[in-house]
Every structure is written in C-alpha cells, then in structure tokens.
Amino acid sequence: NTYDFVNNTFKASFFAFVEIIRALTWKKRMHNGASIVGVSSTSTFNYCASLSAYAASKGAMDGFLTSAATELA
C-alpha cells in the first residue's frame, strides 16, 4: 500500500540518516573538526513522475541538514 511505501522510503532515506547523526552527536562522539556529509538528490527540484516519496524524503533531509548544521556548529 502507498502508506507503507512512503513510510519505508522515509525510514531508509531520512530517518536512518537522522539516527546516525543522533548517535554520533550523542555524548559528543565526534572528534573536533569532524564533518557530517549527507547525500541528497536532485529529485527535490527536478520533478519526475513516480519519485514523489523519494523526493519528499530527500527534501526532508535537506531541511534537516540546514537546521542541524546551525545547531551543531
């Protein structure tokens, strides 16, 4: 069903990345000067049929990274 497809897409493309960031920053497990790199997609602005769930998950990641970069700086 559509809900499961969108949910699984977000789990793989967005929530997994957020969990990795949480795990790395929890108790300051990253070394000074370390960087976090997130891989997004051009599908967030190059619209393509049948990629709406993927594009939405990557758009969420873009928004998250923008805010997280400020919070973690």
Side-chain angles (χ1 to χ4, degrees):
N1 88 33
T2 302
Y3 173 81
D4 290 335
F5 176 75
V6 172
N7 191 37
N8 289 335
T9 301
F10 265 79
K11 282 181 183 177
S13 295
F14 175 67
F15 292 118
F17 182 73
V18 171
E19 182 59 23
I20 290 168
I21 301 269
R22 187 201 63 78
L24 288 173
T25 58
W26 185 65
K27 293 190 177 180
K28 302 191 189 286
R29 294 184 181 195
M30 291 183 57
H31 299 286
N32 286 337
S35 296
I36 297 172
V37 178
V39 179
S40 186
S41 172
T42 61
S43 67
T44 60
F45 54 86
N46 288 331
Y47 311 110
C48 183
S50 76
L51 289 179
S52 58
Y54 180 74
S57 69
K58 292 303 185 173
M61 187 174 163
D62 291 346
F64 172 79
L65 282 170
T66 301
S67 294
T70 302
E71 293 173 11
L72 298 173

